[in-house]
Amino acid sequence: MKLDSLIPAPLRKPARPGENGSAKGPAPADLKTAPPERPSDAKRLGDKAKDAPVSALAWVDQRTAASGFLTGLLYRKVPKGTNWFYTLGSATLFAFIAQATTGVFLAMFYTPSTTQAYASIAHINNDVFLGSFVHGMHKWGSSVMVILIFLHMGRTFFFGAYKYPRELNWVIGVVLLILTMTMAFTGYLLPFDQRSFWASVVGININGTGPVIGPYLSDFLRAGPELGATTLSRFYAIHMLLLPGAIIALIGAHLYLVVKLGTTAPPWVHAEKPKVAAPVAQLEAGVGGNGTAPGNGASAST
Ligand code: HEM
């Protein structure tokens, strides 16, 4: 316990400037001059509250060094000639995020059972607040994602972005394409109406015609001799758990490589020749640094 607190206030020795919370600075010239005003507790609390988000971010950043990674990600250099075609990858990513978000809300009301699936979708469309909107977004969004992923693949192909050193990113992309198509295929059965039932029968049979693994694949998908309750449960688990997890992990790897390797320049943009001084021997021979005689533009090589 501090000794000061035992002494009655009027008898205590006055604190020196800067001590015990008293204001620092010169003492008042005479006793009539009021000491500088200290901010009230409420104001100090308000200031602290304003700084809270920044302080929280700084706290996280000190422990993760995430700002370095984010700065590298957001301020990375992109090649000259980058155009709208380069946004197709991000557009695909956006479509995936929209699918994941709307899918979570649909899962809150959907029942993966052969007797209740159709009715639960009807309930979403007819009774649930914004249900038909969210269902519509998910249904049309699946087509949008498939279209975008093909366009993005076309862009990377025609710009030669599959070549060294980006082959692995191309391979990851191919797996992402297969997973996205499987996502669309497994999702199609879930409403369990006539169309989705028979379309899935056709799709599973087409898989069965594939070489070597085809019959095993169709057996695995059907999960029994006929398309039925076990098929629906299997499609639901693949659609809801397996594929989204795998896609998220692979998108992470895909984007890591995009940032690590940088983006490919469009094929019509060529690297500029480095502007280096011509070697002394060439200068003495009267030949320019780019291998041409100065002035006449003709090639100096023989
Ligand atoms: C879920 C699917 C996918 C997402 C979210 C995605 C996302 C992205 C993003 C954001 C980029 C960087 C920006 C851009 O170049 O557009 C990128 C680049 C790339 N993607 Fe994808 N992508 C997906 C599927 C694919 C597929 C199917 C392929 C090919 C089979 C592919 C191959 C590539 C390659 C090679 C690059 C590097 C491009 C370059 O260096 O110019 N991606 N991807």
Side-chain angles (χ1 to χ4, degrees), residues 273-274 276-279 282-283 287-294:
K273 277 193 178 163
V276 289
Q282 276 187 17
L283 287 175
V287 179
N290 53 5
T292 55

Side-chain angles (χ1 to χ4, degrees), residues 230-289:
T230 43
T231 323
L232 183 61
S233 304
R234 188 162 290 191
F235 272 44
Y236 183 62
I238 294 174
H239 188 79
M240 283 271 301
L241 300 169
L242 192 66
L243 293 179
I247 290 179
I248 289 169
L250 285 175
I251 287 180
H254 197 64
L255 296 187
Y256 169 77
L257 286 179
V258 167
V259 175
K260 188 92 189 151
L261 302 173
T263 324
T264 315
W268 55 86
V269 172
H270 297 289
E272 281 172 17
K273 277 193 178 163
K275 290 184 184 117
V276 289
V280 176
Q282 276 187 17
L283 287 175
E284 281 172 358
V287 179

Side-chain angles (χ1 to χ4, degrees), residues 105-106 124-137:
F105 288 104
L106 291 177
I124 290 172
N125 286 337
N126 301 327
D127 312 320
V128 176
F129 174 65
L130 290 181
S132 65
F133 175 68
V134 174
H135 181 209
M137 267 188 80

Side-chain angles (χ1 to χ4, degrees), residues 70-120:
L70 287 175
T71 316
L73 179 77
L74 297 174
Y75 290 93
R76 69 185 196 279
K77 288 202 161 61
V78 291
K80 258 189 195 163
T82 301
N83 55 36
W84 281 99
F85 291 115
Y86 285 75
T87 59
L88 288 167
S90 309
T92 314
L93 179 64
F94 181 79
F96 174 70
I97 293 170
Q99 288 303 96
T101 313
T102 49
V104 168
F105 288 104
L106 291 177
M108 290 177 189
F109 299 95
Y110 175 75
T111 318
S113 125
T114 45
T115 50
Q116 292 167 48
Y118 182 75
S120 68

